[in-house]
Amino acid sequence: MIKQSSRGRPDMYLLQKYTGKLGQNTTVNQGSPKGARQSRFKLQFKTQKVVLASFDLKTDRSPMFSLKESITVRKMPLLTQRMSNLQPLRSTKARLEGFQFPTERKTFTRKSLKTSSVISERKSYIMKNSSSNNSSPKPSMKKTFTTSFKINFPQMPRQSKTQEKVSIKEALRNLDWANRAKPELEKIWRNMINKSNGIERPLKTGAQYKFYIGKGNNSRLIRKLLTSRSWWTETDNMNEANFVWTQWKNKELLGRLDYGDDIKIEKALTELGHLLCPIDIKVDTGPARGVSLDELGFQTIRNSGSYIQLEIKQLVSPFIQMFNKLECNQHLTNKKGLYLSMLSYYKAMKENPFDYIPMTFHIQHGEKDLEFIKFATMFAEIEKTKQPENIHNLWIIKPGENSNRGQGISVCNNLLQIKSLVSTSAYGDKTFIIQKYIEKPFLIHKRKFDFRCYSLITSINGVIQGYFYSDGYIRTASCEFSAKDTSNNFMHLTNDAIQKHCEDYGKFEDGNKLSYKDFQRYLDFHCSERKINFIKDVLPQIKKLTKDTMKSVYFKIDPNRKLHCMEVFGYDFMLDKNAKVWLIEVNTNPCLELSSNYLSILIPAMIENAFKITLDPLFPPPFGKVSDMLIENKFELIFHQATDAEEMINELGDRVNMLQEENQISEEEEELFSDEDFDMGLNK
């Protein structure tokens, strides 16, 4: 079938190809100077089952060895019988015997015949004969025949097709469209988030909000992101601020926030289709096209299995506050709280907790504690069976409370030393975590590393939701790993607070940091035989463990459902030599310092994403104002209390009481250094 071009005429490629072959085979016998060979073929447009024209090609040989060709065109009646695309009525057999062309190259061009306006025809012949080194009497000949036609026939109506969608990145290049579409895009985003929280916040004319920022942990970055929203201004009075950001919990502020106990959560009918911008874009002179919003990351929330829309109620309160800390977050963020929460959760789920976290013992009363006696027994058993080249009986000792930035952490393989560390006489009433050291970690260039990932938990309108940020980074050690040396923290602990004091800090990677893509390149180059895919093999394990932590503290974190709170958490994971992920700890104050070029991109984008989910839907801009930035969302919704918590409760049945048991966890937190301390170098 001959294709139809954009101008409504047949594509002449097949016709040219066929006539080229026909020209090569159209010859005459040398002994018949006036002999002739005649070929005739038909051209069919298969879609309409119509033969448009027939072509008679007549070739004569004159005594002067010149070629004389003629081409005639005549109309033919329509045929209903299906025919092949180009089928000759009679084939021509070429015979070349004893004829030899001159050795030089000659080109013959013949003007088009003025037969009809239907066809304009151009023919060119190139005959080439190169001198042959072969002693064979047969001549060598190469002949090329090229013909081009232009056929005009009535335009046929084109079938209607689904219009192609335009990507949001391409559409944003059109400034006129971008200015008209941005308010609509922000409206779609706010509605999507607010419906999952069961609220509605109408826009107000001239709305203005105030924020308060405490010192420390790169408060400059938080201030910069908030001041980019022209409807926000800073205040020094925490009580009048609509949004409060501090690096430690303020119990007084949490006590003033309203309760959400009386909120009844009712599910609404959730209909999700393909997400398009309501404003189409016109590309060149073609029809208007829809603009896909997939590249903005809306689908990571809207298409999540956890997403659900709730019955809407309007928030009409003249003053609303939000705090960046969750009440009772210590059940997730200190070592003892995380261990007890995960222990209860996996026991309720009838799973072995030490398949996900290293073997752990919580010591409350020194060496006389029952847990320490169990640990000492296990330590002795390992000592009896260990092989020096394989097992070194390494353990890591951490403070049970208030440990951050690697402080108070030791690596030991001596029972007497461990007894000394957990002695209550030295540390008062503090407790300790003794955890099995991962002796065979996955290494990068023989150096240890861990993953730093981020999550966001929100409690808005009394609804708990959890998000996982798809980007993170890898923290590497500065020294090569050795299980025999327990005194060198530069090879065991990857925290910046530890590594920055090593003379090799930043020698191998910028700020001892790698992106996920950098890690995948390392896997492809140095571990290609294992075929490890980080996105498919490692990241799902990390995401699963993050969701498990949210389930484990659902009944404990923010128990009073304060209105309204949010918090960004930093998760640390390790990878062993078998590419198995282990949960190490969760931090309430993840470091936001931009200590490498990669973090200068990652951390601001992550915090901006968190504000898009928490602040912008609850504190929308006034009429006529939009955010200057339109960035891709990389937070994925992985937990919603109306879907995941309800499913967990139904699955556990009576065992859900195991998750509701109260654990006495200290609320004390270790305060990070302030920005002024960083400026003066007091943190060194």
Side-chain angles (χ1 to χ4, degrees):
M1 180 179 69
I2 298 179
K3 300 179 181 179
Q4 185 175 359
S5 69
S6 60
R7 296 185 179 179
R9 66 184 186 223
D11 188 344
M12 302 310 299
Y13 172 75
L14 293 177
L15 182 60
Q16 295 174 8
K17 182 177 179 181
Y18 185 81
T19 54
K21 292 181 179 179
L22 187 63
Q24 293 176 4
N25 295 330
T26 305
T27 60
V28 296
N29 293 329
Q30 187 177 4
S32 303
K34 293 187 178 181
R37 294 292 185 269
Q38 179 174 327
S39 296
R40 187 167 177 264
F41 65 93
K42 293 183 179 180
L43 173 66
Q44 179 189 11
F45 189 50
K46 190 174 181 180
T47 304
Q48 303 178 50
K49 300 180 180 179
V50 173
V51 175
L52 299 177
S54 69
F55 299 85
D56 293 331
L57 181 61
K58 186 176 181 180
T59 305
D60 296 309
R61 174 68 58 83
S62 69
M64 302 299 296
F65 298 98
S66 62
L67 298 177
K68 180 180 180 182
E69 298 83 22
S70 64
I71 184 168
T72 60
V73 180
R74 62 184 177 84
K75 295 182 179 179
M76 295 187 64
L78 300 180
L79 299 180
T80 58
Q81 182 180 2
R82 175 173 293 184
M83 301 175 63
S84 60
N85 292 342
L86 292 172
Q87 181 177 358
L89 298 181
R90 183 169 60 251
S91 62
T92 303
K93 184 177 180 180
R95 293 186 300 171
L96 293 174
E97 297 178 1
F99 176 76
Q100 185 173 2
F101 283 99
T103 57
E104 69 273 18
R105 175 174 175 172
K106 295 184 178 181
T107 303
F108 301 90
T109 305
R110 192 173 185 86
K111 295 182 179 180
S112 302
L113 298 176
K114 298 181 180 180
T115 57
S116 172
S117 61
V118 178
I119 297 179
S120 66
E121 171 266 346
R122 176 180 176 270
K123 303 177 186 177
S124 63
Y125 299 87
I126 300 177
M127 295 176 292
K128 179 180 179 182
N129 180 35
S130 58
S131 58
S132 176
N133 296 327
N134 196 339
S135 59
S136 173
K138 290 187 178 182
S140 62
M141 181 188 69
K142 184 175 182 180
K143 183 178 179 181
T144 303
F145 183 99
T146 305
T147 308
S148 61
F149 297 89
K150 180 179 180 181
I151 301 180
N152 298 322
F153 59 91
Q155 290 279 353
M156 302 300 297
R158 300 182 64 181
Q159 296 181 356
S160 61
K161 297 182 179 179
T162 304
Q163 296 293 337
E164 295 182 0
K165 300 177 181 62
V166 179
S167 68
I168 184 67
K169 291 182 179 179
E170 181 181 355
L172 287 174
R173 297 172 185 168
N174 187 321
L175 296 181
D176 178 64
W177 180 89
N179 292 331
R180 291 185 294 113
K182 273 188 177 182
E184 295 297 328
L185 296 178
E186 292 193 357
K187 181 180 178 181
I188 293 174
W189 175 262
R190 290 195 304 268
N191 289 341
M192 179 181 69
I193 299 297
N194 283 337
K195 286 181 179 179
S196 68
N197 288 315
I199 60 174
E200 181 180 354
R201 284 283 284 168
L203 297 180
K204 295 182 179 180
T205 303
Q208 288 291 324
Y209 310 105
K210 296 180 180 180
F211 64 85
Y212 172 89
I213 299 179
K215 295 180 179 180
N217 201 10
N218 202 359
S219 60
R220 301 184 190 92
L221 171 63
I222 308 303
R223 182 176 291 104
K224 180 179 179 181
L225 294 176
L226 289 175
T227 53
S228 67
R229 294 159 167 81
S230 59
W231 55 98
W232 283 89
T233 57
E234 188 172 7
T235 179
D236 294 332
N237 187 349
M238 185 184 299
N239 296 328
E240 68 176 12
N242 298 100
F243 177 60
V244 177
W245 176 282
T246 63
Q247 62 172 328
W248 65 92
K249 276 189 297 189
N250 187 302
K251 296 181 182 179
E252 181 182 353
L253 175 60
L254 282 171
R256 290 200 308 266
L257 296 179
D258 292 334
Y259 291 85
D261 292 342
D262 58 342
I263 294 177
K264 182 180 180 182
I265 297 178
E266 296 182 359
K267 300 178 183 178
L269 181 62
T270 304
E271 296 181 358
L272 301 178
H274 188 69
L275 195 58
L276 294 175
C277 180
I279 299 179
D280 292 341
I281 187 171
K282 193 172 182 63
V283 180
D284 298 330
T285 59
R289 297 182 182 180
V291 178
S292 173
L293 303 184
D294 291 344
E295 291 181 346
L296 288 180
F298 287 23
Q299 74 280 2
T300 61
I301 295 177
R302 190 171 176 268
N303 295 346
S304 166
S306 301
Y307 182 79
I308 191 171
Q309 295 179 357
L310 306 179
E311 291 291 341
I312 300 298
K313 78 166 188 178
Q314 279 202 1
L315 292 183
V316 294
S317 174
F319 181 75
I320 296 177
Q321 269 192 314
M322 174 176 280
F323 189 30
N324 76 313
K325 294 294 178 183
L326 291 168
E327 192 177 31
C328 299
N329 62 0
Q330 67 272 11
H331 291 280
L332 180 64
T333 59
N334 74 26
K335 310 297 186 293
K336 178 177 71 175
L338 177 64
Y339 165 66
L340 295 177
S341 297
M342 298 299 282
L343 187 67
S344 299
Y345 172 74
Y346 286 122
K347 284 185 177 180
M349 297 296 294
K350 297 183 178 180
E351 296 185 58
N352 183 3
F354 304 120
D355 287 339
Y356 306 99
I357 58 177
M359 177 63 68
T360 305
F361 298 91
H362 177 219
I363 312 302
Q364 303 181 67
H365 307 293
E367 59 182 285
K368 296 181 180 180
D369 193 290
L370 180 60
E371 281 289 293
F372 186 84
I373 296 175
K374 292 180 180 179
F375 158 72
T377 303
M378 177 172 287
F379 187 93
E381 291 177 355
I382 295 176
E383 281 292 313
K384 292 179 182 178
T385 60
K386 77 173 185 178
Q387 299 176 358
E389 65 276 10
N390 294 326
I391 301 177
H392 300 275
N393 208 1
L394 291 178
W395 296 82
I396 189 165
I397 293 85
K398 313 174 186 179
E401 304 84 11
N402 316 328
S403 175
N404 204 347
R405 301 168 64 84
Q407 296 183 7
I409 297 178
S410 302
V411 179
C412 303
N413 59 0
N414 184 287
L415 186 59
L416 293 177
Q417 184 182 4
I418 296 174
K419 286 182 179 181
S420 175
L421 289 173
V422 301
S423 173
T424 56
S425 60
Y427 292 93
D429 296 332
K430 301 298 182 182
T431 66
F432 293 89
I433 293 293
I434 301 178
Q435 196 169 68
K436 189 69 183 74
Y437 191 94
I438 299 176
E439 297 185 6
K440 296 182 179 180
F442 202 107
L443 302 177
I444 295 179
H445 299 299
K446 300 182 181 180
R447 291 177 288 118
K448 190 178 174 181
F449 69 92
D450 67 0
F451 298 106
R452 166 54 61 92
C453 308
Y454 296 102
S455 78
L456 169 69
I457 298 181
T458 64
S459 179
I460 299 175
N461 192 37
V463 179
I464 299 290
Q465 297 193 64
Y467 302 83
F468 177 80
Y469 197 69
S470 60
D471 274 352
Y473 62 95
I474 291 171
R475 306 183 299 184
T476 61
S478 300
C479 302
E480 291 187 1
F481 173 76
S482 173
K484 297 179 181 180
D485 186 358
T486 61
S487 61
N488 188 353
N489 281 343
F490 295 142
M491 68 173 61
H492 295 293
L493 305 180
T494 59
N495 308 69
D496 259 359
I498 301 295
Q499 292 295 325
K500 68 182 179 181
H501 297 294
C502 180
E503 60 181 8
D504 289 333
Y505 178 71
K507 177 180 178 181
F508 305 103
E509 298 90 18
D510 179 24
N512 282 35
K513 306 296 186 299
L514 290 173
S515 67
Y516 291 163
K517 291 183 179 179
D518 294 331
F519 181 56
Q520 185 62 58
R521 281 192 288 267
Y522 176 85
L523 294 174
D524 294 340
F525 187 78
H526 297 279
C527 310
S528 57
E529 71 283 353
R530 300 186 62 178
K531 298 181 179 180
I532 300 175
N533 186 307
F534 175 80
I535 299 299
K536 295 182 179 179
D537 301 327
V538 179
L539 196 60
Q541 298 183 62
I542 293 176
K543 194 183 303 182
K544 191 262 184 190
L545 288 173
T546 304
K547 185 172 183 176
D548 286 350
T549 63
M550 296 177 181
K551 289 181 176 180
S552 70
V553 298
Y554 169 68
F555 293 104
K556 301 172 183 177
I557 201 167
D558 192 27
N560 297 312
R561 298 298 188 262
K562 292 291 186 175
L563 303 177
H564 308 274
C565 297
M566 54 82 73
E567 187 164 356
V568 174
F569 297 96
Y571 282 68
D572 295 338
F573 299 93
M574 282 198 62
L575 194 69
D576 66 18
K577 68 172 186 177
N578 298 319
K580 177 177 174 56
V581 174
W582 297 88
L583 173 64
I584 303 301
E585 63 185 32
V586 183
N587 299 280
T588 182
N589 279 317
C591 182
L592 302 180
E593 296 298 325
L594 311 181
S595 57
S596 72
N597 291 330
Y598 176 63
L599 294 191
S600 298
I601 300 173
L602 171 68
I603 292 179
M606 183 271 297
I607 297 296
E608 175 65 22
N609 272 194
F611 288 166
K612 286 284 187 183
I613 292 174
T614 55
L615 290 185
D616 292 350
L618 200 59
F619 304 98
F623 283 112
K625 290 188 178 182
V626 295
S627 175
D628 294 334
M629 292 183 289
L630 190 63
I631 63 173
E632 177 187 3
N633 168 63
K634 293 187 177 181
F635 271 113
E636 177 185 352
L637 179 66
I638 61 174
F639 180 86
H640 193 295
Q641 74 172 61
T643 53
D644 300 282
E646 183 176 335
E647 179 182 348
M648 177 183 67
I649 293 171
N650 293 334
E651 181 180 357
L652 293 179
D654 294 338
R655 299 194 307 276
V656 74
N657 296 327
M658 300 173 65
L659 303 182
Q660 297 173 335
E661 295 176 356
E662 288 292 334
N663 297 317
Q664 297 299 322
I665 308 296
S666 171
E667 289 195 75
E668 296 180 11
E669 296 175 287
E670 179 180 347
E671 180 179 344
L672 294 182
F673 295 102
S674 67
D675 292 329
E676 288 75 11
D677 291 336
F678 276 103
D679 293 340
M680 294 185 294
L682 298 181
N683 59 317
K684 296 182 180 180

